[in-house]
Amino acid sequence: MIWLSLPDAANKSFYLDVRDILLDPEKEVPSGTICGTVGDGTSELWTEIRLGGEESAQLLPVLHDNGKIESFTGQVDEVLLQKELISSVKGYLFGSGAITSGPEAAAPAESRHREVQPALAA
């Protein structure tokens, strides 16, 4: 789980729970997709973060069985949240030394796709 820093989020704490990481570390700048849920403890949305050439973060509403659509509308600046998602994921993956760039640091083909197991609730 990655805690996000959103200074104007009305005293809410947002987090990213990473579910899947698919990166190609053989490129000069590693690129790929990180998927997971972003939430504030009361609402959660699915997110897809793309790194590499054109970086982006999408917030995708969750449709529940009862027909309710979950969103953050009005709770937070979504553009700021998307920028923070990209920045935090890059800092976590590359700033911590978890992944280094360039072909010389490439992982074997079988380890390029790794799934992150969700944390179990206590």
Side-chain angles (χ1 to χ4, degrees), residues 66-98:
N66 64 4
K68 180 184 175 204
I69 298 176
E70 193 120 16
S71 73
F72 292 146
T73 305
Q75 296 180 30
V76 66
D77 180 340
E78 290 190 9
V79 172
L80 182 62
L81 178 57
Q82 290 167 329
K83 288 179 182 179
E84 178 61 21
L85 284 165
I86 294 167
S87 175
S88 294
V89 165
K90 287 171 64 175
Y92 178 76
L93 292 177
F94 308 123
S96 68

